[in-house]
Amino acid sequence: MTPVETAQRKFRRVNEIIEVHGHEQAALVPILQEVQAEYRYLPEEILTYISTAMRIPAATVFGVATFYAQFSLEPKGKYLVRCCDGTACHVRNSKPVYDAIRAKVGLTDGKFTTPDLKFTVETVSCLGACGLAPVITINNEVHGKMTPEAAAIIIDTLLKRDGDN
Ligand code: FES
């Protein structure tokens, strides 16, 4: 098998996604969105492969991937926890909720993803559900009127579901 064939086999899913959207540069954002949905982030080697497969300069592909906040070049956890820190949530004590979640999953030192890749905990500026402030989402599931205690219980439930407790 030639190196090209080996790469094609390894990136079969990426090829399928490119085939669906086409090779035009305009398709790059939707392709990256779908690839990220598949891998939960955009691995560097996949971005390089996309550049070759679509005949788009690597600088362009990496430029788009780093320009949009929705894309991540770092691995994300199985559970992506977004803690809103917009105005409505902030005044309703979102910070202690965020701190409690970080403590519960054991995040320290400015890290956002646990070493076992189970949790990524981020802040966002508004989740669009201000009436439920403070709000968090876990993999796009909305949890409103959060307290540090309620958030800790939710995390416990996820850990138990995964057989960690
Ligand atoms: S400020 Fe938190 S949902 Fe809008």
Side-chain angles (χ1 to χ4, degrees), residues 84-90 124-135:
C84 184
D85 198 31
T87 308
C89 289
H90 190 81
V124 289
S125 54
C126 179
L127 287 164
C130 311
L132 296 174
V135 182

Side-chain angles (χ1 to χ4, degrees), residues 1 3 6 14 23 35 37-38 42 47-48 56 60 67 86 91 95 98 109 112 114 125 135 139 141 154:
M1 207 183 295
T6 307
V14 179
H23 290 68
V35 168
E38 193 79 18
L42 296 173
L47 291 178
T48 305
I56 296 174
T60 305
F67 178 77
V91 298
K95 180 77 169 60
Y98 174 67
D109 300 340
F112 297 98
T114 55
S125 54
V135 182
N139 294 354
E141 190 176 296
I154 292 172

